[in-house]
Amino acid sequence: APDATTAEVNNDLPPMKSIVVPLADRPTPNVLEPNPSMSVPGAKAFIDLYYPCITNGKAEELALRYSPKAQKSVSIGGAHSVVKGRDDIKRQIASLVGSQFAVKSVVAQDLPGDDGGAFVLISGMVQTSPAAGGSISPFAHSVSLVPAASVGCSGAPGASFVIHNDAMMITPPMQSFVGIPPQNTGIGIEQQQQQGPPPGLASGFGGDAMPPGMNGPPQQPLPPQGPPGLNGPPPGIRQAPGRGI
């Protein structure tokens, strides 16, 4: 029987789909920067697709955006789940369907090399669905995006990505189930110049409901930013000095 990686390229499965950066968000090359970074627009395109898919129950659609060898993990409470393969990734996504995310902070940077990939670190608040506990908690999310062309997926050249690594940590609930506002996509994204991502988030703390496949003790995570309030993220795009958008 074929393993999970082989199954990803089976013709009987729906083909991969890429995360495409809209034309309006693509940076314009110039003399000083003929090949501008796509990390910030790639991060925005990811956020605009990923969290609404979870909220609206589009697990199968989102699962098509992962590379053939992608790894996905979720940490909730004292348990940690790591999965590979489209079917297992889809099931893990489905365990959070109905949850609402309010993104508060985003940092994006280029991956090492000249491939045009991006590492994205996101933090904010999540109201999990009743099936997943129905509580409001901080979350932190690290994602590695690779160019779609590098894994044989079609898309706009230089402006299309697939998810290669996806690690989310949800910390203990902060209050009872009262509802949080829908995500505002006018977030600020800070671009870093350092090369190479920090380790993926892979930890959690006390809690109850969690996705299937939970096992093993977690590693220590990067803590979430701890943003104040839930009234929407700051406008505009923030960028470290010396880089064009």
Side-chain angles (χ1 to χ4, degrees):
D3 59 22
T5 301
T6 304
E8 293 298 321
V9 296
N10 191 313
N11 291 332
D12 294 335
L13 295 175
M16 282 186 295
K17 292 184 178 180
S18 59
I19 301 170
V20 181
V21 176
L23 281 170
D25 293 338
R26 299 176 194 176
T28 302
N30 55 61
V31 175
L32 296 179
E33 197 163 10
N35 297 304
S37 170
M38 289 292 293
S39 61
V40 166
K44 183 178 184 300
F46 169 83
I47 291 167
D48 289 345
L49 173 75
Y50 188 96
Y51 300 111
C53 277
I54 293 181
T55 301
N56 297 318
K58 297 182 178 180
E60 185 169 358
E61 178 70 14
L62 183 56
L64 297 177
R65 266 69 180 193
Y66 286 78
S67 72
K69 296 183 179 181
Q71 176 175 291
K72 186 180 187 315
S73 64
V74 173
S75 296
I76 303 178
H80 182 58
S81 168
V82 181
V83 296
K84 294 181 179 180
R86 184 179 293 176
D87 288 343
D88 287 340
I89 286 174
K90 181 174 65 176
R91 279 191 286 269
Q92 193 178 87
I93 294 170
S95 69
L96 292 172
V97 160
S99 300
Q100 298 183 55
F101 294 82
V103 173
K104 292 297 179 180
S105 177
V106 183
V107 176
Q109 68 181 57
D110 297 331
L111 289 178
D114 299 323
D115 291 340
F119 173 76
V120 187
L121 180 61
I122 304 159
S123 63
M125 303 296 293
V126 56
Q127 177 179 285
T128 59
S129 66
S135 58
I136 296 177
S137 304
F139 79 93
H141 193 185
S142 68
V143 180
S144 294
L145 303 174
V146 297
S150 69
V151 293
C153 180
S154 61
S160 300
F161 299 91
V162 292
I163 304 166
H164 188 63
N165 187 278
D166 173 356
M168 180 180 291
M169 181 194 72
I170 299 177
T171 61
M174 294 185 64
Q175 61 188 82
S176 62
F177 186 86
V178 295
I180 61 175
Q183 176 199 335
N184 181 348
T185 56
I187 57 171
I189 301 179
E190 181 179 353
Q191 182 173 1
Q192 299 291 323
Q193 298 184 36
Q194 297 91 335
Q195 295 297 313
L201 302 179
S203 182
F205 302 92
D208 295 315
M210 53 204 69
M214 290 295 188
N215 58 76
Q219 300 175 3
Q220 289 300 316
L222 295 176
Q225 298 284 336
L230 292 173
N231 296 322
I237 293 179
R238 303 191 307 278
Q239 182 178 5
R243 296 297 301 268
I245 296 176

mmCIF file of all heavy atoms in Angstrom, residues 26-41 110 191-193 195 239-245:
data_model
loop_
_atom_site.group_PDB
_atom_site.id
_atom_site.type_symbol
_atom_site.label_atom_id
_atom_site.label_comp_id
_atom_site.label_asym_id
_atom_site.label_seq_id
_atom_site.Cartn_x
_atom_site.Cartn_y
_atom_site.Cartn_z
ATOM 1 N N ARG A 26 1.015 42.526 -4.664
ATOM 2 C CA ARG A 26 2.366 42.129 -5.067
ATOM 3 C C ARG A 26 3.273 43.354 -5.175
ATOM 4 O O ARG A 26 2.916 44.355 -5.807
ATOM 5 C CB ARG A 26 2.330 41.393 -6.410
ATOM 6 C CG ARG A 26 1.510 40.110 -6.360
ATOM 7 C CD ARG A 26 1.407 39.447 -7.717
ATOM 8 N NE ARG A 26 0.361 38.423 -7.718
ATOM 9 C CZ ARG A 26 -0.015 37.728 -8.778
ATOM 10 N NH1 ARG A 26 0.590 37.942 -9.955
ATOM 11 N NH2 ARG A 26 -0.986 36.829 -8.690
ATOM 12 N N PRO A 27 4.452 43.327 -4.553
ATOM 13 C CA PRO A 27 5.352 44.483 -4.612
ATOM 14 C C PRO A 27 5.915 44.685 -6.012
ATOM 15 O O PRO A 27 6.091 43.733 -6.777
ATOM 16 C CB PRO A 27 6.463 44.106 -3.616
ATOM 17 C CG PRO A 27 6.433 42.610 -3.573
ATOM 18 C CD PRO A 27 5.008 42.204 -3.774
ATOM 19 N N THR A 28 6.188 45.921 -6.334
ATOM 20 C CA THR A 28 6.721 46.273 -7.650
ATOM 21 C C THR A 28 8.249 46.306 -7.600
ATOM 22 O O THR A 28 8.830 46.991 -6.752
ATOM 23 C CB THR A 28 6.201 47.653 -8.080
ATOM 24 O OG1 THR A 28 4.770 47.623 -8.093
ATOM 25 C CG2 THR A 28 6.713 48.014 -9.470
ATOM 26 N N PRO A 29 8.922 45.569 -8.466
ATOM 27 C CA PRO A 29 10.395 45.624 -8.499
ATOM 28 C C PRO A 29 10.891 47.029 -8.826
ATOM 29 O O PRO A 29 10.227 47.789 -9.538
ATOM 30 C CB PRO A 29 10.759 44.634 -9.612
ATOM 31 C CG PRO A 29 9.558 43.753 -9.766
ATOM 32 C CD PRO A 29 8.373 44.614 -9.443
ATOM 33 N N ASN A 30 12.049 47.371 -8.309
ATOM 34 C CA ASN A 30 12.649 48.666 -8.622
ATOM 35 C C ASN A 30 14.163 48.492 -8.700
ATOM 36 O O ASN A 30 14.689 47.392 -8.507
ATOM 37 C CB ASN A 30 12.261 49.715 -7.572
ATOM 38 C CG ASN A 30 12.601 49.280 -6.157
ATOM 39 O OD1 ASN A 30 13.768 49.049 -5.833
ATOM 40 N ND2 ASN A 30 11.572 49.133 -5.320
ATOM 41 N N VAL A 31 14.855 49.576 -8.969
ATOM 42 C CA VAL A 31 16.299 49.514 -9.163
ATOM 43 C C VAL A 31 17.000 49.019 -7.905
ATOM 44 O O VAL A 31 17.933 48.214 -7.965
ATOM 45 C CB VAL A 31 16.848 50.895 -9.577
ATOM 46 C CG1 VAL A 31 18.372 50.868 -9.658
ATOM 47 C CG2 VAL A 31 16.257 51.326 -10.905
ATOM 48 N N LEU A 32 16.568 49.502 -6.748
ATOM 49 C CA LEU A 32 17.215 49.126 -5.500
ATOM 50 C C LEU A 32 16.852 47.711 -5.066
ATOM 51 O O LEU A 32 17.641 47.045 -4.394
ATOM 52 C CB LEU A 32 16.829 50.117 -4.401
ATOM 53 C CG LEU A 32 17.294 51.560 -4.597
ATOM 54 C CD1 LEU A 32 16.814 52.435 -3.454
ATOM 55 C CD2 LEU A 32 18.812 51.621 -4.701
ATOM 56 N N GLU A 33 15.681 47.259 -5.448
ATOM 57 C CA GLU A 33 15.234 45.924 -5.049
ATOM 58 C C GLU A 33 14.531 45.254 -6.233
ATOM 59 O O GLU A 33 13.307 45.242 -6.325
ATOM 60 C CB GLU A 33 14.298 46.009 -3.843
ATOM 61 C CG GLU A 33 14.133 44.677 -3.146
ATOM 62 C CD GLU A 33 13.559 44.821 -1.742
ATOM 63 O OE1 GLU A 33 13.117 45.927 -1.385
ATOM 64 O OE2 GLU A 33 13.562 43.824 -1.013
ATOM 65 N N PRO A 34 15.311 44.698 -7.152
ATOM 66 C CA PRO A 34 14.723 44.088 -8.350
ATOM 67 C C PRO A 34 13.883 42.850 -8.055
ATOM 68 O O PRO A 34 13.000 42.505 -8.836
ATOM 69 C CB PRO A 34 15.945 43.729 -9.200
ATOM 70 C CG PRO A 34 17.083 43.642 -8.233
ATOM 71 C CD PRO A 34 16.786 44.631 -7.158
ATOM 72 N N ASN A 35 14.158 42.174 -6.924
ATOM 73 C CA ASN A 35 13.384 40.993 -6.531
ATOM 74 C C ASN A 35 12.846 41.202 -5.122
ATOM 75 O O ASN A 35 13.374 40.645 -4.153
ATOM 76 C CB ASN A 35 14.258 39.744 -6.587
ATOM 77 C CG ASN A 35 14.740 39.439 -7.988
ATOM 78 O OD1 ASN A 35 13.949 39.300 -8.913
ATOM 79 N ND2 ASN A 35 16.062 39.357 -8.146
ATOM 80 N N PRO A 36 11.814 42.006 -4.975
ATOM 81 C CA PRO A 36 11.302 42.325 -3.637
ATOM 82 C C PRO A 36 10.756 41.105 -2.919
ATOM 83 O O PRO A 36 10.277 40.155 -3.539
ATOM 84 C CB PRO A 36 10.193 43.346 -3.920
ATOM 85 C CG PRO A 36 9.780 43.087 -5.328
ATOM 86 C CD PRO A 36 11.026 42.648 -6.039
ATOM 87 N N SER A 37 10.842 41.148 -1.610
ATOM 88 C CA SER A 37 10.361 40.041 -0.788
ATOM 89 C C SER A 37 8.847 39.865 -0.928
ATOM 90 O O SER A 37 8.096 40.836 -0.982
ATOM 91 C CB SER A 37 10.715 40.298 0.679
ATOM 92 O OG SER A 37 10.073 39.367 1.525
ATOM 93 N N MET A 38 8.427 38.603 -0.940
ATOM 94 C CA MET A 38 7.001 38.286 -0.985
ATOM 95 C C MET A 38 6.495 37.786 0.365
ATOM 96 O O MET A 38 5.366 37.297 0.461
ATOM 97 C CB MET A 38 6.746 37.217 -2.051
ATOM 98 C CG MET A 38 6.901 37.698 -3.482
ATOM 99 S SD MET A 38 5.617 38.881 -3.960
ATOM 100 C CE MET A 38 4.173 37.815 -3.942
ATOM 101 N N SER A 39 7.315 37.916 1.413
ATOM 102 C CA SER A 39 6.909 37.350 2.697
ATOM 103 C C SER A 39 5.685 38.049 3.292
ATOM 104 O O SER A 39 4.776 37.386 3.813
ATOM 105 C CB SER A 39 8.077 37.378 3.689
ATOM 106 O OG SER A 39 8.513 38.705 3.926
ATOM 107 N N VAL A 40 5.638 39.372 3.221
ATOM 108 C CA VAL A 40 4.502 40.101 3.777
ATOM 109 C C VAL A 40 3.220 39.836 2.981
ATOM 110 O O VAL A 40 2.202 39.463 3.567
ATOM 111 C CB VAL A 40 4.809 41.607 3.874
ATOM 112 C CG1 VAL A 40 3.535 42.407 4.124
ATOM 113 C CG2 VAL A 40 5.813 41.865 4.990
ATOM 114 N N PRO A 41 3.207 40.017 1.666
ATOM 115 C CA PRO A 41 1.976 39.693 0.931
ATOM 116 C C PRO A 41 1.603 38.217 1.020
ATOM 117 O O PRO A 41 0.419 37.864 1.025
ATOM 118 C CB PRO A 41 2.279 40.113 -0.509
ATOM 119 C CG PRO A 41 3.752 40.271 -0.590
ATOM 120 C CD PRO A 41 4.213 40.632 0.773
ATOM 121 N N ASP A 110 11.594 36.167 5.094
ATOM 122 C CA ASP A 110 11.963 35.239 4.034
ATOM 123 C C ASP A 110 12.626 33.996 4.625
ATOM 124 O O ASP A 110 13.363 34.083 5.602
ATOM 125 C CB ASP A 110 12.936 35.897 3.058
ATOM 126 C CG ASP A 110 12.324 37.084 2.329
ATOM 127 O OD1 ASP A 110 11.098 37.091 2.135
ATOM 128 O OD2 ASP A 110 13.072 37.993 1.969
ATOM 129 N N GLN A 191 7.775 42.875 8.919
ATOM 130 C CA GLN A 191 8.703 42.039 8.168
ATOM 131 C C GLN A 191 10.071 42.073 8.814
ATOM 132 O O GLN A 191 10.606 43.121 9.137
ATOM 133 C CB GLN A 191 8.808 42.520 6.716
ATOM 134 C CG GLN A 191 9.730 41.643 5.879
ATOM 135 C CD GLN A 191 9.681 42.018 4.423
ATOM 136 O OE1 GLN A 191 8.980 42.943 4.061
ATOM 137 N NE2 GLN A 191 10.417 41.334 3.601
ATOM 138 N N GLN A 192 10.631 40.892 9.025
ATOM 139 C CA GLN A 192 11.948 40.765 9.633
ATOM 140 C C GLN A 192 12.985 40.469 8.562
ATOM 141 O O GLN A 192 12.697 39.843 7.551
ATOM 142 C CB GLN A 192 11.930 39.621 10.657
ATOM 143 C CG GLN A 192 10.944 39.853 11.797
ATOM 144 C CD GLN A 192 11.384 40.985 12.700
ATOM 145 O OE1 GLN A 192 12.569 41.156 12.950
ATOM 146 N NE2 GLN A 192 10.430 41.758 13.190
ATOM 147 N N GLN A 193 14.228 40.890 8.812
ATOM 148 C CA GLN A 193 15.293 40.664 7.854
ATOM 149 C C GLN A 193 16.104 39.410 8.168
ATOM 150 O O GLN A 193 16.853 38.936 7.338
ATOM 151 C CB GLN A 193 16.232 41.868 7.823
ATOM 152 C CG GLN A 193 15.536 43.151 7.370
ATOM 153 C CD GLN A 193 16.512 44.292 7.255
ATOM 154 O OE1 GLN A 193 17.651 44.089 6.859
ATOM 155 N NE2 GLN A 193 16.086 45.492 7.596
ATOM 156 N N GLN A 195 17.299 35.668 8.549
ATOM 157 C CA GLN A 195 17.059 34.485 7.728
ATOM 158 C C GLN A 195 16.875 33.266 8.625
ATOM 159 O O GLN A 195 17.586 33.071 9.591
ATOM 160 C CB GLN A 195 18.236 34.230 6.774
ATOM 161 C CG GLN A 195 18.414 35.325 5.743
ATOM 162 C CD GLN A 195 17.204 35.430 4.830
ATOM 163 O OE1 GLN A 195 16.717 34.426 4.343
ATOM 164 N NE2 GLN A 195 16.723 36.633 4.598
ATOM 165 N N GLN A 239 6.973 47.459 8.949
ATOM 166 C CA GLN A 239 8.103 46.761 8.355
ATOM 167 C C GLN A 239 9.389 47.231 8.998
ATOM 168 O O GLN A 239 9.521 48.396 9.356
ATOM 169 C CB GLN A 239 8.143 47.026 6.846
ATOM 170 C CG GLN A 239 9.273 46.277 6.145
ATOM 171 C CD GLN A 239 9.233 46.538 4.666
ATOM 172 O OE1 GLN A 239 8.437 47.317 4.220
ATOM 173 N NE2 GLN A 239 10.098 45.901 3.929
ATOM 174 N N ALA A 240 10.316 46.280 9.205
ATOM 175 C CA ALA A 240 11.604 46.644 9.774
ATOM 176 C C ALA A 240 12.345 47.555 8.814
ATOM 177 O O ALA A 240 12.183 47.451 7.595
ATOM 178 C CB ALA A 240 12.430 45.375 10.043
ATOM 179 N N PRO A 241 13.167 48.496 9.331
ATOM 180 C CA PRO A 241 13.881 49.449 8.461
ATOM 181 C C PRO A 241 14.740 48.735 7.436
ATOM 182 O O PRO A 241 15.298 47.674 7.682
ATOM 183 C CB PRO A 241 14.743 50.226 9.451
ATOM 184 C CG PRO A 241 14.068 50.051 10.767
ATOM 185 C CD PRO A 241 13.462 48.693 10.746
ATOM 186 N N GLY A 242 14.836 49.353 6.255
ATOM 187 C CA GLY A 242 15.748 48.877 5.240
ATOM 188 C C GLY A 242 15.161 47.901 4.258
ATOM 189 O O GLY A 242 15.868 47.398 3.409
ATOM 190 N N ARG A 243 13.858 47.575 4.359
ATOM 191 C CA ARG A 243 13.246 46.649 3.419
ATOM 192 C C ARG A 243 12.061 47.322 2.744
ATOM 193 O O ARG A 243 11.290 48.013 3.373
ATOM 194 C CB ARG A 243 12.764 45.375 4.127
ATOM 195 C CG ARG A 243 13.881 44.553 4.744
ATOM 196 C CD ARG A 243 14.833 44.049 3.671
ATOM 197 N NE ARG A 243 14.148 43.223 2.687
ATOM 198 C CZ ARG A 243 14.050 41.909 2.785
ATOM 199 N NH1 ARG A 243 14.603 41.272 3.786
ATOM 200 N NH2 ARG A 243 13.412 41.210 1.860
ATOM 201 N N GLY A 244 11.899 47.101 1.477
ATOM 202 C CA GLY A 244 10.743 47.618 0.749
ATOM 203 C C GLY A 244 9.590 46.660 0.868
ATOM 204 O O GLY A 244 9.762 45.479 1.088
ATOM 205 N N ILE A 245 8.357 47.177 0.702
ATOM 206 C CA ILE A 245 7.163 46.342 0.762
ATOM 207 C C ILE A 245 6.770 45.944 -0.655
ATOM 208 O O ILE A 245 6.694 46.776 -1.520
ATOM 209 C CB ILE A 245 6.009 47.106 1.450
ATOM 210 C CG1 ILE A 245 6.380 47.405 2.904
ATOM 211 C CG2 ILE A 245 4.710 46.312 1.382
ATOM 212 C CD1 ILE A 245 5.375 48.225 3.619
#
